[in-house]
Amino acid sequence: MNEYQNLWNNILNSLKEEYDENVYNEIFKNCDEILKVENNYIYIVVPSALIKFRIEQFYLKRIKELIPIYTDKTIGFKFITKKDAEFEKSNNNIATKLVEPDNKNIGRNLSSIYRFDNFVVGESNRYAFLTAMKVAENPVIIGNPLYIFGDVGLGKTHIMTSIGNFVLDNNINAKVIYTSSQKFAEDYFLATSKSNKEKIQAFYDKFNSADLLLVDDIQFLEGKTATQEEFFKIFEHLVSQNKQIVLTSDRPANSLKNVMARLKSRFGWGISADIKTPDKELLINILKNKLSFLIEDPDDVSLDVLQILADSFPNNIRDLEGALRTFVNYCICMNCAFTKENLYISLDKILPKGAEEIDSTKDIISKTIDAVCKYYKISKNDMVSSSRKQQIAYARQMLMYILRINFNISLQTIGDNLGKRDHATVAHGIDKITNLIDKNNVIKNDYDLIIKSI
Ligand code: ADP
Ligand code: MG
């Protein structure tokens, strides 16, 4: 263990010299304990999930660069929170075995941030997630290639990278290559542009020696015939060597245009899994998960705020996450609370137009429905149901009237919120009350009391 402790101490000393004292103290001061060494990874105990996240996000790259200065061995670092470390200790799940490595592959431009354990699962991505886990656990057996597709920003790269990290976690010597199809095309172009034989050979050697090849955004191979040709050869070679390939795309394999038929049919050989548009529950869960890495107490941000964010970015988790970060960063810098008002201020230019209006309209509608239901002692379900019972129909018309006359809400929006009633039905309901209200004291009295209660 001493050897590892020395290595880590050396790295800490280098970091101390490189970074500002305050930064160093804030991040690394209480990070000197080693929990275990397993699969060539040294596990460092860190005080909190936040510190772990910051190290992985901002410092791990530098740490990786420092390792070869102090050791020839292929060693990686992992960070585990004190809480998790204690749990492991209590389960006696501690190993210190070091299998002598034969080459250096740690990372290989694979982001260590994207992992299965920080991928939030919901209806829309469960199948892709489970399939990816199976492929990571049993490469080649489940299907080769694994083809993951779905719209932009929905988690394809995250899932694909998680497979790579999973494989590396279990075998630091595994040769995991991550590339995008654009980068692949660029590498090929550079290798061939000067017809330098060595370069071309190096290109083939690199890809043909992969144990796991991850190629992101394969749709950009469209129309690039020469690159497709090369990719086909590498694909065939790896498959024949029983090496797993994982591809992502924004569309199913059979919808790719200008891709050679034989390549397309290879893509369809294995197993494909799509990621669909997330539902609101998943969006909220993702936001909560991301918050737990951004601030100490995620409950400081109310559900209200999360809902506005989820409503504003329903189709792209990358944008959703970006908006959350901007908001949190603004509140921290300005030292203000994580409120709805500050959300609107911080995301003024980012939130889709009208988000604030939509939010306040929703609020008004929901409060008015509550007040009218309470007054007439009917349930919300009845209010939005198709029931035409006289008392329910009357209460519903009163509700329409108040929303339109007092709050100027559009007929369309009123109808949408009342069991998807059409424009004409809403207009008719409002007319009915308008005609009666000046003539009938009971109705006028009902109206006055409801307005008072709102
Ligand atoms: P894609 O490759 O489909 O365009 P990414 O994998 O790059 O999308 O995802 C965009 C961002 O959204 C990333 O930061 C990723 O971590 C995050 N993300 C997407 N889906 C999830 C999820 N289910 N749980 C946690 N984060 C997610
Ligand atoms: Mg991507």
Side-chain angles (χ1 to χ4, degrees), residues 114 118-121 125 151-159 282 286 289-290 317-318 321:
Y114 295 149
N118 58 16
F119 189 80
V120 185
V121 182
N125 59 23
D151 274 337
V152 66
L154 295 187
K156 300 183 294 295
T157 301
H158 189 137
I159 290 197
L282 176 59
I286 291 175
N289 172 276
K290 303 277 171 189
I317 297 164
R318 185 177 300 120
E321 195 181 334

mmCIF file with all atom_site columns, all heavy atoms in Angstrom, residues 114 118-121 125 151-159 282 286 289-290 317-318 321, ligand 1:
data_model
loop_
_atom_site.group_PDB
_atom_site.id
_atom_site.type_symbol
_atom_site.label_atom_id
_atom_site.label_alt_id
_atom_site.label_comp_id
_atom_site.label_asym_id
_atom_site.label_entity_id
_atom_site.label_seq_id
_atom_site.pdbx_PDB_ins_code
_atom_site.Cartn_x
_atom_site.Cartn_y
_atom_site.Cartn_z
_atom_site.occupancy
_atom_site.B_iso_or_equiv
_atom_site.pdbx_formal_charge
_atom_site.auth_seq_id
_atom_site.auth_comp_id
_atom_site.auth_asym_id
_atom_site.auth_atom_id
_atom_site.pdbx_PDB_model_num
ATOM   1   N N   . TYR A 1 114 ? -19.215 10.224 -17.799 1.00 0.00 ? 114 TYR A N   1
ATOM   2   C CA  . TYR A 1 114 ? -20.435 9.516  -18.209 1.00 0.00 ? 114 TYR A CA  1
ATOM   3   C C   . TYR A 1 114 ? -20.372 8.054  -17.799 1.00 0.00 ? 114 TYR A C   1
ATOM   4   O O   . TYR A 1 114 ? -19.588 7.290  -18.346 1.00 0.00 ? 114 TYR A O   1
ATOM   5   C CB  . TYR A 1 114 ? -20.626 9.615  -19.726 1.00 0.00 ? 114 TYR A CB  1
ATOM   6   C CG  . TYR A 1 114 ? -20.864 11.015 -20.220 1.00 0.00 ? 114 TYR A CG  1
ATOM   7   C CD1 . TYR A 1 114 ? -20.441 11.407 -21.483 1.00 0.00 ? 114 TYR A CD1 1
ATOM   8   C CD2 . TYR A 1 114 ? -21.522 11.945 -19.432 1.00 0.00 ? 114 TYR A CD2 1
ATOM   9   C CE1 . TYR A 1 114 ? -20.665 12.698 -21.942 1.00 0.00 ? 114 TYR A CE1 1
ATOM   10  C CE2 . TYR A 1 114 ? -21.756 13.234 -19.887 1.00 0.00 ? 114 TYR A CE2 1
ATOM   11  C CZ  . TYR A 1 114 ? -21.317 13.598 -21.139 1.00 0.00 ? 114 TYR A CZ  1
ATOM   12  O OH  . TYR A 1 114 ? -21.547 14.865 -21.593 1.00 0.00 ? 114 TYR A OH  1
ATOM   13  N N   . ASN A 1 118 ? -24.535 7.298  -13.125 1.00 0.00 ? 118 ASN A N   1
ATOM   14  C CA  . ASN A 1 118 ? -25.148 8.636  -13.095 1.00 0.00 ? 118 ASN A CA  1
ATOM   15  C C   . ASN A 1 118 ? -26.060 8.865  -14.313 1.00 0.00 ? 118 ASN A C   1
ATOM   16  O O   . ASN A 1 118 ? -26.334 9.989  -14.698 1.00 0.00 ? 118 ASN A O   1
ATOM   17  C CB  . ASN A 1 118 ? -24.106 9.753  -12.934 1.00 0.00 ? 118 ASN A CB  1
ATOM   18  C CG  . ASN A 1 118 ? -23.061 9.749  -14.036 1.00 0.00 ? 118 ASN A CG  1
ATOM   19  O OD1 . ASN A 1 118 ? -23.257 9.129  -15.075 1.00 0.00 ? 118 ASN A OD1 1
ATOM   20  N ND2 . ASN A 1 118 ? -21.962 10.425 -13.820 1.00 0.00 ? 118 ASN A ND2 1
ATOM   21  N N   . PHE A 1 119 ? -26.524 7.777  -14.874 1.00 0.00 ? 119 PHE A N   1
ATOM   22  C CA  . PHE A 1 119 ? -27.521 7.866  -15.951 1.00 0.00 ? 119 PHE A CA  1
ATOM   23  C C   . PHE A 1 119 ? -28.882 7.583  -15.316 1.00 0.00 ? 119 PHE A C   1
ATOM   24  O O   . PHE A 1 119 ? -29.073 6.554  -14.677 1.00 0.00 ? 119 PHE A O   1
ATOM   25  C CB  . PHE A 1 119 ? -27.216 6.841  -17.046 1.00 0.00 ? 119 PHE A CB  1
ATOM   26  C CG  . PHE A 1 119 ? -28.068 7.013  -18.271 1.00 0.00 ? 119 PHE A CG  1
ATOM   27  C CD1 . PHE A 1 119 ? -27.762 7.982  -19.220 1.00 0.00 ? 119 PHE A CD1 1
ATOM   28  C CD2 . PHE A 1 119 ? -29.200 6.232  -18.467 1.00 0.00 ? 119 PHE A CD2 1
ATOM   29  C CE1 . PHE A 1 119 ? -28.556 8.149  -20.348 1.00 0.00 ? 119 PHE A CE1 1
ATOM   30  C CE2 . PHE A 1 119 ? -29.998 6.397  -19.587 1.00 0.00 ? 119 PHE A CE2 1
ATOM   31  C CZ  . PHE A 1 119 ? -29.661 7.362  -20.530 1.00 0.00 ? 119 PHE A CZ  1
ATOM   32  N N   . VAL A 1 120 ? -29.794 8.504  -15.479 1.00 0.00 ? 120 VAL A N   1
ATOM   33  C CA  . VAL A 1 120 ? -31.102 8.360  -14.835 1.00 0.00 ? 120 VAL A CA  1
ATOM   34  C C   . VAL A 1 120 ? -32.048 7.648  -15.797 1.00 0.00 ? 120 VAL A C   1
ATOM   35  O O   . VAL A 1 120 ? -32.167 8.028  -16.960 1.00 0.00 ? 120 VAL A O   1
ATOM   36  C CB  . VAL A 1 120 ? -31.674 9.744  -14.446 1.00 0.00 ? 120 VAL A CB  1
ATOM   37  C CG1 . VAL A 1 120 ? -32.970 9.581  -13.661 1.00 0.00 ? 120 VAL A CG1 1
ATOM   38  C CG2 . VAL A 1 120 ? -30.645 10.522 -13.636 1.00 0.00 ? 120 VAL A CG2 1
ATOM   39  N N   . VAL A 1 121 ? -32.689 6.618  -15.289 1.00 0.00 ? 121 VAL A N   1
ATOM   40  C CA  . VAL A 1 121 ? -33.484 5.768  -16.180 1.00 0.00 ? 121 VAL A CA  1
ATOM   41  C C   . VAL A 1 121 ? -34.970 6.071  -16.059 1.00 0.00 ? 121 VAL A C   1
ATOM   42  O O   . VAL A 1 121 ? -35.490 6.294  -14.967 1.00 0.00 ? 121 VAL A O   1
ATOM   43  C CB  . VAL A 1 121 ? -33.211 4.285  -15.855 1.00 0.00 ? 121 VAL A CB  1
ATOM   44  C CG1 . VAL A 1 121 ? -33.985 3.388  -16.802 1.00 0.00 ? 121 VAL A CG1 1
ATOM   45  C CG2 . VAL A 1 121 ? -31.731 3.989  -15.952 1.00 0.00 ? 121 VAL A CG2 1
ATOM   46  N N   . ASN A 1 125 ? -35.807 5.655  -21.962 1.00 0.00 ? 125 ASN A N   1
ATOM   47  C CA  . ASN A 1 125 ? -34.429 5.196  -22.206 1.00 0.00 ? 125 ASN A CA  1
ATOM   48  C C   . ASN A 1 125 ? -34.110 3.862  -21.540 1.00 0.00 ? 125 ASN A C   1
ATOM   49  O O   . ASN A 1 125 ? -32.979 3.406  -21.593 1.00 0.00 ? 125 ASN A O   1
ATOM   50  C CB  . ASN A 1 125 ? -33.428 6.270  -21.762 1.00 0.00 ? 125 ASN A CB  1
ATOM   51  C CG  . ASN A 1 125 ? -33.563 6.607  -20.289 1.00 0.00 ? 125 ASN A CG  1
ATOM   52  O OD1 . ASN A 1 125 ? -34.057 5.811  -19.495 1.00 0.00 ? 125 ASN A OD1 1
ATOM   53  N ND2 . ASN A 1 125 ? -33.121 7.803  -19.910 1.00 0.00 ? 125 ASN A ND2 1
ATOM   54  N N   . ASP A 1 151 ? -32.827 11.100 -30.939 1.00 0.00 ? 151 ASP A N   1
ATOM   55  C CA  . ASP A 1 151 ? -32.594 12.507 -31.257 1.00 0.00 ? 151 ASP A CA  1
ATOM   56  C C   . ASP A 1 151 ? -31.418 13.089 -30.482 1.00 0.00 ? 151 ASP A C   1
ATOM   57  O O   . ASP A 1 151 ? -30.962 12.518 -29.498 1.00 0.00 ? 151 ASP A O   1
ATOM   58  C CB  . ASP A 1 151 ? -33.854 13.322 -30.944 1.00 0.00 ? 151 ASP A CB  1
ATOM   59  C CG  . ASP A 1 151 ? -34.802 13.311 -32.126 1.00 0.00 ? 151 ASP A CG  1
ATOM   60  O OD1 . ASP A 1 151 ? -34.312 13.073 -33.243 1.00 0.00 ? 151 ASP A OD1 1
ATOM   61  O OD2 . ASP A 1 151 ? -36.006 13.516 -31.930 1.00 0.00 ? 151 ASP A OD2 1
ATOM   62  N N   . VAL A 1 152 ? -31.021 14.258 -30.919 1.00 0.00 ? 152 VAL A N   1
ATOM   63  C CA  . VAL A 1 152 ? -29.864 14.909 -30.302 1.00 0.00 ? 152 VAL A CA  1
ATOM   64  C C   . VAL A 1 152 ? -30.159 15.280 -28.839 1.00 0.00 ? 152 VAL A C   1
ATOM   65  O O   . VAL A 1 152 ? -31.281 15.641 -28.497 1.00 0.00 ? 152 VAL A O   1
ATOM   66  C CB  . VAL A 1 152 ? -29.477 16.132 -31.164 1.00 0.00 ? 152 VAL A CB  1
ATOM   67  C CG1 . VAL A 1 152 ? -30.545 17.197 -31.157 1.00 0.00 ? 152 VAL A CG1 1
ATOM   68  C CG2 . VAL A 1 152 ? -28.165 16.718 -30.746 1.00 0.00 ? 152 VAL A CG2 1
ATOM   69  N N   . GLY A 1 153 ? -29.139 15.094 -28.012 1.00 0.00 ? 153 GLY A N   1
ATOM   70  C CA  . GLY A 1 153 ? -29.245 15.535 -26.612 1.00 0.00 ? 153 GLY A CA  1
ATOM   71  C C   . GLY A 1 153 ? -30.016 14.605 -25.704 1.00 0.00 ? 153 GLY A C   1
ATOM   72  O O   . GLY A 1 153 ? -30.403 14.986 -24.604 1.00 0.00 ? 153 GLY A O   1
ATOM   73  N N   . LEU A 1 154 ? -30.247 13.369 -26.132 1.00 0.00 ? 154 LEU A N   1
ATOM   74  C CA  . LEU A 1 154 ? -31.067 12.478 -25.299 1.00 0.00 ? 154 LEU A CA  1
ATOM   75  C C   . LEU A 1 154 ? -30.263 11.420 -24.547 1.00 0.00 ? 154 LEU A C   1
ATOM   76  O O   . LEU A 1 154 ? -30.838 10.584 -23.872 1.00 0.00 ? 154 LEU A O   1
ATOM   77  C CB  . LEU A 1 154 ? -32.143 11.791 -26.157 1.00 0.00 ? 154 LEU A CB  1
ATOM   78  C CG  . LEU A 1 154 ? -33.199 12.719 -26.765 1.00 0.00 ? 154 LEU A CG  1
ATOM   79  C CD1 . LEU A 1 154 ? -34.301 11.911 -27.438 1.00 0.00 ? 154 LEU A CD1 1
ATOM   80  C CD2 . LEU A 1 154 ? -33.812 13.634 -25.710 1.00 0.00 ? 154 LEU A CD2 1
ATOM   81  N N   . GLY A 1 155 ? -28.935 11.445 -24.671 1.00 0.00 ? 155 GLY A N   1
ATOM   82  C CA  . GLY A 1 155 ? -28.139 10.538 -23.836 1.00 0.00 ? 155 GLY A CA  1
ATOM   83  C C   . GLY A 1 155 ? -27.421 9.414  -24.569 1.00 0.00 ? 155 GLY A C   1
ATOM   84  O O   . GLY A 1 155 ? -26.913 8.492  -23.935 1.00 0.00 ? 155 GLY A O   1
ATOM   85  N N   . LYS A 1 156 ? -27.310 9.507  -25.905 1.00 0.00 ? 156 LYS A N   1
ATOM   86  C CA  . LYS A 1 156 ? -26.645 8.428  -26.642 1.00 0.00 ? 156 LYS A CA  1
ATOM   87  C C   . LYS A 1 156 ? -25.160 8.341  -26.266 1.00 0.00 ? 156 LYS A C   1
ATOM   88  O O   . LYS A 1 156 ? -24.648 7.268  -25.953 1.00 0.00 ? 156 LYS A O   1
ATOM   89  C CB  . LYS A 1 156 ? -26.764 8.653  -28.156 1.00 0.00 ? 156 LYS A CB  1
ATOM   90  C CG  . LYS A 1 156 ? -28.188 8.709  -28.661 1.00 0.00 ? 156 LYS A CG  1
ATOM   91  C CD  . LYS A 1 156 ? -28.246 8.870  -30.168 1.00 0.00 ? 156 LYS A CD  1
ATOM   92  C CE  . LYS A 1 156 ? -27.693 10.197 -30.676 1.00 0.00 ? 156 LYS A CE  1
ATOM   93  N NZ  . LYS A 1 156 ? -28.467 11.378 -30.257 1.00 0.00 ? 156 LYS A NZ  1
ATOM   94  N N   . THR A 1 157 ? -24.493 9.490  -26.301 1.00 0.00 ? 157 THR A N   1
ATOM   95  C CA  . THR A 1 157 ? -23.060 9.485  -25.997 1.00 0.00 ? 157 THR A CA  1
ATOM   96  C C   . THR A 1 157 ? -22.834 9.055  -24.542 1.00 0.00 ? 157 THR A C   1
ATOM   97  O O   . THR A 1 157 ? -21.886 8.320  -24.243 1.00 0.00 ? 157 THR A O   1
ATOM   98  C CB  . THR A 1 157 ? -22.463 10.888 -26.243 1.00 0.00 ? 157 THR A CB  1
ATOM   99  O OG1 . THR A 1 157 ? -22.688 11.224 -27.602 1.00 0.00 ? 157 THR A OG1 1
ATOM   100 C CG2 . THR A 1 157 ? -20.979 10.930 -25.962 1.00 0.00 ? 157 THR A CG2 1
ATOM   101 N N   . HIS A 1 158 ? -23.729 9.495  -23.676 1.00 0.00 ? 158 HIS A N   1
ATOM   102 C CA  . HIS A 1 158 ? -23.592 9.129  -22.259 1.00 0.00 ? 158 HIS A CA  1
ATOM   103 C C   . HIS A 1 158 ? -23.646 7.606  -22.103 1.00 0.00 ? 158 HIS A C   1
ATOM   104 O O   . HIS A 1 158 ? -22.779 7.007  -21.458 1.00 0.00 ? 158 HIS A O   1
ATOM   105 C CB  . HIS A 1 158 ? -24.727 9.799  -21.457 1.00 0.00 ? 158 HIS A CB  1
ATOM   106 C CG  . HIS A 1 158 ? -24.578 9.683  -19.978 1.00 0.00 ? 158 HIS A CG  1
ATOM   107 N ND1 . HIS A 1 158 ? -24.809 10.726 -19.118 1.00 0.00 ? 158 HIS A ND1 1
ATOM   108 C CD2 . HIS A 1 158 ? -24.231 8.639  -19.193 1.00 0.00 ? 158 HIS A CD2 1
ATOM   109 C CE1 . HIS A 1 158 ? -24.606 10.320 -17.872 1.00 0.00 ? 158 HIS A CE1 1
ATOM   110 N NE2 . HIS A 1 158 ? -24.272 9.057  -17.897 1.00 0.00 ? 158 HIS A NE2 1
ATOM   111 N N   . ILE A 1 159 ? -24.615 6.983  -22.737 1.00 0.00 ? 159 ILE A N   1
ATOM   112 C CA  . ILE A 1 159 ? -24.754 5.524  -22.597 1.00 0.00 ? 159 ILE A CA  1
ATOM   113 C C   . ILE A 1 159 ? -23.564 4.803  -23.228 1.00 0.00 ? 159 ILE A C   1
ATOM   114 O O   . ILE A 1 159 ? -22.990 3.886  -22.654 1.00 0.00 ? 159 ILE A O   1
ATOM   115 C CB  . ILE A 1 159 ? -26.067 5.030  -23.264 1.00 0.00 ? 159 ILE A CB  1
ATOM   116 C CG1 . ILE A 1 159 ? -27.259 5.513  -22.435 1.00 0.00 ? 159 ILE A CG1 1
ATOM   117 C CG2 . ILE A 1 159 ? -26.073 3.522  -23.401 1.00 0.00 ? 159 ILE A CG2 1
ATOM   118 C CD1 . ILE A 1 159 ? -28.549 4.792  -22.728 1.00 0.00 ? 159 ILE A CD1 1
ATOM   119 N N   . LEU A 1 282 ? -39.113 11.874 -15.925 1.00 0.00 ? 282 LEU A N   1
ATOM   120 C CA  . LEU A 1 282 ? -37.692 11.607 -16.140 1.00 0.00 ? 282 LEU A CA  1
ATOM   121 C C   . LEU A 1 282 ? -36.898 12.918 -16.151 1.00 0.00 ? 282 LEU A C   1
ATOM   122 O O   . LEU A 1 282 ? -35.820 13.006 -15.552 1.00 0.00 ? 282 LEU A O   1
ATOM   123 C CB  . LEU A 1 282 ? -37.492 10.839 -17.459 1.00 0.00 ? 282 LEU A CB  1
ATOM   124 C CG  . LEU A 1 282 ? -36.043 10.584 -17.861 1.00 0.00 ? 282 LEU A CG  1
ATOM   125 C CD1 . LEU A 1 282 ? -35.296 9.785  -16.796 1.00 0.00 ? 282 LEU A CD1 1
ATOM   126 C CD2 . LEU A 1 282 ? -35.964 9.837  -19.197 1.00 0.00 ? 282 LEU A CD2 1
ATOM   127 N N   . ILE A 1 286 ? -33.836 13.721 -13.732 1.00 0.00 ? 286 ILE A N   1
ATOM   128 C CA  . ILE A 1 286 ? -32.493 14.055 -14.231 1.00 0.00 ? 286 ILE A CA  1
ATOM   129 C C   . ILE A 1 286 ? -32.023 15.361 -13.573 1.00 0.00 ? 286 ILE A C   1
ATOM   130 O O   . ILE A 1 286 ? -30.893 15.472 -13.097 1.00 0.00 ? 286 ILE A O   1
ATOM   131 C CB  . ILE A 1 286 ? -32.474 14.174 -15.767 1.00 0.00 ? 286 ILE A CB  1
ATOM   132 C CG1 . ILE A 1 286 ? -32.687 12.791 -16.389 1.00 0.00 ? 286 ILE A CG1 1
ATOM   133 C CG2 . ILE A 1 286 ? -31.173 14.796 -16.267 1.00 0.00 ? 286 ILE A CG2 1
ATOM   134 C CD1 . ILE A 1 286 ? -32.813 12.779 -17.900 1.00 0.00 ? 286 ILE A CD1 1
ATOM   135 N N   . ASN A 1 289 ? -30.940 14.738 -10.132 1.00 0.00 ? 289 ASN A N   1
ATOM   136 C CA  . ASN A 1 289 ? -29.663 14.041 -10.117 1.00 0.00 ? 289 ASN A CA  1
ATOM   137 C C   . ASN A 1 289 ? -28.513 15.014 -10.399 1.00 0.00 ? 289 ASN A C   1
ATOM   138 O O   . ASN A 1 289 ? -27.496 15.018 -9.703  1.00 0.00 ? 289 ASN A O   1
ATOM   139 C CB  . ASN A 1 289 ? -29.703 12.926 -11.172 1.00 0.00 ? 289 ASN A CB  1
ATOM   140 C CG  . ASN A 1 289 ? -28.372 12.266 -11.375 1.00 0.00 ? 289 ASN A CG  1
ATOM   141 O OD1 . ASN A 1 289 ? -27.542 12.757 -12.129 1.00 0.00 ? 289 ASN A OD1 1
ATOM   142 N ND2 . ASN A 1 289 ? -28.146 11.165 -10.697 1.00 0.00 ? 289 ASN A ND2 1
ATOM   143 N N   . LYS A 1 290 ? -28.686 15.871 -11.397 1.00 0.00 ? 290 LYS A N   1
ATOM   144 C CA  . LYS A 1 290 ? -27.599 16.808 -11.740 1.00 0.00 ? 290 LYS A CA  1
ATOM   145 C C   . LYS A 1 290 ? -27.379 17.785 -10.589 1.00 0.00 ? 290 LYS A C   1
ATOM   146 O O   . LYS A 1 290 ? -26.250 18.175 -10.300 1.00 0.00 ? 290 LYS A O   1
ATOM   147 C CB  . LYS A 1 290 ? -27.921 17.585 -13.020 1.00 0.00 ? 290 LYS A CB  1
ATOM   148 C CG  . LYS A 1 290 ? -28.206 16.708 -14.225 1.00 0.00 ? 290 LYS A CG  1
ATOM   149 C CD  . LYS A 1 290 ? -26.944 16.240 -14.932 1.00 0.00 ? 290 LYS A CD  1
ATOM   150 C CE  . LYS A 1 290 ? -27.264 15.191 -15.977 1.00 0.00 ? 290 LYS A CE  1
ATOM   151 N NZ  . LYS A 1 290 ? -26.132 14.523 -16.565 1.00 0.00 ? 290 LYS A NZ  1
ATOM   152 N N   . ILE A 1 317 ? -31.955 17.003 -23.389 1.00 0.00 ? 317 ILE A N   1
ATOM   153 C CA  . ILE A 1 317 ? -31.439 16.991 -22.015 1.00 0.00 ? 317 ILE A CA  1
ATOM   154 C C   . ILE A 1 317 ? -30.171 17.834 -21.899 1.00 0.00 ? 317 ILE A C   1
ATOM   155 O O   . ILE A 1 317 ? -29.892 18.404 -20.857 1.00 0.00 ? 317 ILE A O   1
ATOM   156 C CB  . ILE A 1 317 ? -31.221 15.535 -21.552 1.00 0.00 ? 317 ILE A CB  1
ATOM   157 C CG1 . ILE A 1 317 ? -32.592 14.839 -21.541 1.00 0.00 ? 317 ILE A CG1 1
ATOM   158 C CG2 . ILE A 1 317 ? -30.587 15.454 -20.180 1.00 0.00 ? 317 ILE A CG2 1
ATOM   159 C CD1 . ILE A 1 317 ? -32.559 13.359 -21.482 1.00 0.00 ? 317 ILE A CD1 1
ATOM   160 N N   . ARG A 1 318 ? -29.449 17.952 -22.992 1.00 0.00 ? 318 ARG A N   1
ATOM   161 C CA  . ARG A 1 318 ? -28.237 18.782 -22.949 1.00 0.00 ? 318 ARG A CA  1
ATOM   162 C C   . ARG A 1 318 ? -28.618 20.236 -22.674 1.00 0.00 ? 318 ARG A C   1
ATOM   163 O O   . ARG A 1 318 ? -28.017 20.903 -21.823 1.00 0.00 ? 318 ARG A O   1
ATOM   164 C CB  . ARG A 1 318 ? -27.458 18.671 -24.258 1.00 0.00 ? 318 ARG A CB  1
ATOM   165 C CG  . ARG A 1 318 ? -26.138 19.420 -24.208 1.00 0.00 ? 318 ARG A CG  1
ATOM   166 C CD  . ARG A 1 318 ? -25.330 19.260 -25.466 1.00 0.00 ? 318 ARG A CD  1
ATOM   167 N NE  . ARG A 1 318 ? -25.001 17.874 -25.721 1.00 0.00 ? 318 ARG A NE  1
ATOM   168 C CZ  . ARG A 1 318 ? -25.366 17.209 -26.813 1.00 0.00 ? 318 ARG A CZ  1
ATOM   169 N NH1 . ARG A 1 318 ? -26.059 17.819 -27.751 1.00 0.00 ? 318 ARG A NH1 1
ATOM   170 N NH2 . ARG A 1 318 ? -25.040 15.945 -26.976 1.00 0.00 ? 318 ARG A NH2 1
ATOM   171 N N   . GLU A 1 321 ? -29.832 20.609 -19.082 1.00 0.00 ? 321 GLU A N   1
ATOM   172 C CA  . GLU A 1 321 ? -28.732 20.604 -18.132 1.00 0.00 ? 321 GLU A CA  1
ATOM   173 C C   . GLU A 1 321 ? -27.985 21.941 -18.172 1.00 0.00 ? 321 GLU A C   1
ATOM   174 O O   . GLU A 1 321 ? -27.612 22.485 -17.135 1.00 0.00 ? 321 GLU A O   1
ATOM   175 C CB  . GLU A 1 321 ? -27.796 19.454 -18.515 1.00 0.00 ? 321 GLU A CB  1
ATOM   176 C CG  . GLU A 1 321 ? -26.826 19.085 -17.456 1.00 0.00 ? 321 GLU A CG  1
ATOM   177 C CD  . GLU A 1 321 ? -25.897 17.953 -17.917 1.00 0.00 ? 321 GLU A CD  1
ATOM   178 O OE1 . GLU A 1 321 ? -26.277 17.145 -18.806 1.00 0.00 ? 321 GLU A OE1 1
ATOM   179 O OE2 . GLU A 1 321 ? -24.785 17.891 -17.388 1.00 0.00 ? 321 GLU A OE2 1
HETATM 180 P P1  . ADP B 2 .   ? -26.615 12.724 -27.349 1.00 0.00 ? 1   ADP B P1  1
HETATM 181 O O1  . ADP B 2 .   ? -25.339 11.994 -27.539 1.00 0.00 ? 1   ADP B O1  1
HETATM 182 O O2  . ADP B 2 .   ? -27.820 11.835 -27.518 1.00 0.00 ? 1   ADP B O2  1
HETATM 183 O O3  . ADP B 2 .   ? -26.732 13.963 -28.173 1.00 0.00 ? 1   ADP B O3  1
HETATM 184 P P2  . ADP B 2 .   ? -25.571 13.127 -24.702 1.00 0.00 ? 1   ADP B P2  1
HETATM 185 O O4  . ADP B 2 .   ? -25.291 11.708 -24.311 1.00 0.00 ? 1   ADP B O4  1
HETATM 186 O O5  . ADP B 2 .   ? -24.412 13.962 -25.072 1.00 0.00 ? 1   ADP B O5  1
HETATM 187 O O6  . ADP B 2 .   ? -26.684 13.178 -25.839 1.00 0.00 ? 1   ADP B O6  1
HETATM 188 O O7  . ADP B 2 .   ? -26.382 13.803 -23.516 1.00 0.00 ? 1   ADP B O7  1
HETATM 189 C C1  . ADP B 2 .   ? -26.472 15.221 -23.374 1.00 0.00 ? 1   ADP B C1  1
HETATM 190 C C2  . ADP B 2 .   ? -26.344 15.568 -21.904 1.00 0.00 ? 1   ADP B C2  1
HETATM 191 O O8  . ADP B 2 .   ? -27.487 15.087 -21.226 1.00 0.00 ? 1   ADP B O8  1
HETATM 192 C C3  . ADP B 2 .   ? -25.151 14.914 -21.236 1.00 0.00 ? 1   ADP B C3  1
HETATM 193 O O9  . ADP B 2 .   ? -24.573 15.818 -20.334 1.00 0.00 ? 1   ADP B O9  1
HETATM 194 C C4  . ADP B 2 .   ? -25.728 13.735 -20.501 1.00 0.00 ? 1   ADP B C4  1
HETATM 195 O O10 . ADP B 2 .   ? -25.010 13.437 -19.329 1.00 0.00 ? 1   ADP B O10 1
HETATM 196 C C5  . ADP B 2 .   ? -27.109 14.230 -20.167 1.00 0.00 ? 1   ADP B C5  1
HETATM 197 N N1  . ADP B 2 .   ? -28.077 13.132 -20.107 1.00 0.00 ? 1   ADP B N1  1
HETATM 198 C C6  . ADP B 2 .   ? -28.832 12.639 -21.114 1.00 0.00 ? 1   ADP B C6  1
HETATM 199 N N2  . ADP B 2 .   ? -29.630 11.645 -20.674 1.00 0.00 ? 1   ADP B N2  1
HETATM 200 C C7  . ADP B 2 .   ? -29.374 11.523 -19.355 1.00 0.00 ? 1   ADP B C7  1
HETATM 201 C C8  . ADP B 2 .   ? -29.888 10.667 -18.330 1.00 0.00 ? 1   ADP B C8  1
HETATM 202 N N3  . ADP B 2 .   ? -30.842 9.772  -18.585 1.00 0.00 ? 1   ADP B N3  1
HETATM 203 N N4  . ADP B 2 .   ? -29.396 10.800 -17.087 1.00 0.00 ? 1   ADP B N4  1
HETATM 204 C C9  . ADP B 2 .   ? -28.444 11.731 -16.817 1.00 0.00 ? 1   ADP B C9  1
HETATM 205 N N5  . ADP B 2 .   ? -27.925 12.559 -17.727 1.00 0.00 ? 1   ADP B N5  1
HETATM 206 C C10 . ADP B 2 .   ? -28.379 12.461 -18.987 1.00 0.00 ? 1   ADP B C10 1
#
